Amino acid sequence: MTAPEPEITPALVAEHGLKPEEYQRFVKLIGRTPTFTELGIVSAMWNEHCSYKSSKIHLRKLPTAGPCVIQGPGENAGVIDIGDGEACVFKMESHNHPSFIEPYQGAATGVGGILRDVFTMGARPVACLNFLRFGSPDHAKTRHLLAGVVAGIGGYGNSFGVPTVGGSVGFHKRYDGNILVNAMAVGVARADEIFYAKATGVGNPIVYLGSKTGRDGIHGATMASASFEADAEEKRPTVQVGDPFSEKLLLEACLELMASGAVIAIQDMGAAGLTSSAVEMGAKGDLGVELDLDRVPCRESGMTAYEMMLSESQERMLMVLHPEKEAEAEAIFRKWGLDFAVVGQTTDTLRFVVKHRGAVKADLPIKELGDQAPVYDRPWIATPARPALEPSDVTAPMSNREALLTLIGSPDFCSKRWIYEQYDTLILGNTAQGPGGDAAVVRLGDGPKGLALTVDSTPRYCEADPIAGGAQAVAEAWRNLVAVGARPLALTDNLNFGNPEKPAAMGQLVGCLKGIGEAAAALDFPIVSGNVSLYNETSGVGILPTPAVGGVGLLDNVEKAASLAFKAAGDIVLLIGETKGWLGRSAYLETICGREEGAPPPVDLAAERRNGEFVRALIAAGRVSAVHDASDGGLAIALAEMAMAGDIGATIDLGAAGLPAHAFLFGEDQGRYVLAARPTEAAMIAVEGKAIGVPVQTLGSTGGDALNLPGEAPIAIADLRAAFESWLPAYMAAPDKEAA
């Protein structure tokens, strides 16, 4: 006997994350009190994670079109043309809240979900990246969360069989109660064989594919749209459980099915599961959808309509198929050992009808659920401007030698080898450059072409000045791609912010989006996909505003890609770009001086473009032997990383810089690159740069086994490496405070 459905009360509505006014809007829309299943459906479709109701009006202002753009935001992933009839499909998405609650499965299913977004479009995944932020290393949960997240990313990606080629990892106390786990996936498809979620045709079968439905992940999307309080552990049942081996079978079955010509539309069952996938396919195609849940393959007995509609069980797809291809499609999925069930059909009613055990459990207007969900113009206040710090405002508390060794061995700057060695970075055999450089490089097939991939952000800049911080995140992605010789093509982003109902937090989002948009437009770097993760707040404390930016660039020949390692003694070290010794909001100011203050470095987008195009031309012509973006930690960190990567030292002479040495070495002025070139080339590069307005400064030369900074005792590369490599393994080997 079926248990009676609960009464719809204000308390039950609140438990579903709906504000009273939103619930009243829904009641007015349908003209009656909703059923329990209908309440669950609208809570899923109208939450922040699925509807973007707080960010949509601002996202619309971003530049999303360009010569290479095939598909911009609004689909499972963005698609760009990379020539020769090929397309690159990519996106980044968050799994922040689930990863805090259950780090292994939260991170693992984040990887699984973003991979499905890519192969749902018809692309074969070729690479994954990730962007991770953890709380203070001293916090009791940080070590446990870091270990679980890294194991989850490696466990899923390695088993699925796609290389994890790059990422970003950082620590700050503002992430103590709300870590960030953003996953990015990149795939390649034929440009004329991209698949979309828009359903077409009336009476076509809607087919459920993949793994069975269980009770895991129910209310996952709703949980992701709320801030954390002290009850975070109670939300553990909302975290999904992943199976990478099933997902690998799903990938192969989907690609085979797509090649058969059977697919009209396809949608990953991600956040809000069967609900969002069915509604989005119907709404995009101006069609109705009718589902019969009696046909849904379930792995648990007695599941209700409510549970089936809100389950976020992993490795599932929904497709609309050509009716005449149904038998062929089923044979393909049965061959791969996966479930295949016709669970509904498209209609001309514009209604979303859900039936279970002979009863109608939901009958709702599909457009209002899907692409016409509430949109808010939240009140916001601009972040107050911070005063700029002059180099003379920051007194050096220690020698530059000691400062460099301290910074290079600090949590944010130390080697992340302990992390990325748990990932398979080489599977598929196309990784030309993996983790540790400015950007990863992945070869495309057997030809010379390759993709350059990066993901990064500097949250401390965004906290101080969201507009400048947003612009810097895009410019940093641009520089990372340029530094390996790639032509930057397009971006994806993951916008991680606090509670949008707080005007200050909303102002950070608005400001960062303004900066991102300005930089993307100035650099012809369109944003083709992304994700917004709001309510990253615990007990009233929000995270640092963190817009993670993922960039994709194209290399005509991966053999000509540049890397950061010094290659030979006797090369001249050059600095491209203007240096003013900007220490405001710098890593030096925070880590060495213990100060988080001042304005972040300004971003001159015209100079970024001019300097970057100059450097990329030098790489293409084979005129430089090493290239590295100078960003976090400034010139000194860049030089140390180049020396360690090549096991070749350098002697640096600042000359008449007119700045305190610590400001020149650790200032984080933007738009800069460190190059190495043979002496004759270096002289010509300086002349050519001056002719087109690109500052070029000679810093010194390579050679020896130490980094020699002016006025300091030599720093042996062995000492740099010892500091660089030691912190993370030692930290992870220490007793777990939480376990203790």
Side-chain angles (χ1 to χ4, degrees), residues 301-313:
S301 62
M303 289 190 70
T304 65
Y306 178 95
E307 290 171 328
M308 281 189 268
M309 293 307 297
L310 296 186
S311 167
E312 293 185 9
S313 294

Side-chain angles (χ1 to χ4, degrees), residues 5 46 318 417 479 502 615 658 711:
E5 292 191 343
W46 284 11
L318 206 64
R417 186 185 308 277
R479 287 197 303 274
K502 294 183 175 179
V615 169

Side-chain angles (χ1 to χ4, degrees), residues 516-673:
I516 288 169
E518 290 175 353
L523 298 172
D524 289 331
F525 210 15
I527 297 135
V528 300
S529 62
N531 172 247
V532 179
S533 174
L534 305 181
Y535 294 96
N536 289 288
E537 177 181 286
T538 299
S539 300
V541 179
I543 62 165
L544 294 175
T546 311
V549 172
V552 173
L554 185 66
L555 285 150
D556 294 328
N557 187 345
V558 296
E559 300 301 328
K560 293 185 176 182
S563 70
L564 76 166
F566 286 144
K567 305 298 189 302
D571 282 353
I572 302 300
V573 181
L574 301 173
L575 177 62
I576 304 294
E578 188 175 15
T579 298
K580 295 183 177 180
W582 196 282
L583 289 171
R585 301 304 292 200
S586 67
Y588 180 90
L589 189 69
E590 181 178 329
T591 303
I592 304 303
C593 303
R595 298 164 57 184
E596 295 186 49
E597 59 188 86
V603 179
D604 183 336
L605 294 169
E608 286 282 0
R609 183 162 193 150
R610 186 165 55 248
N611 297 354
E613 290 178 347
F614 180 62
V615 169
R616 190 162 62 86
L618 294 174
I619 295 170
R623 299 175 61 190
V624 289
S625 59
V627 182
H628 194 13
D629 163 37
S631 53
D632 265 12
L635 174 62
I637 290 291
L639 290 166
E641 290 172 343
M642 297 173 86
M644 287 188 291
D647 204 28
I648 295 172
T651 299
I652 302 303
D653 179 5
L654 304 186
L659 291 169
H662 67 285
F664 191 92
L665 288 170
F666 298 103
E668 295 181 6
D669 304 89
Q670 299 294 292
R672 300 186 302 161
Y673 303 80

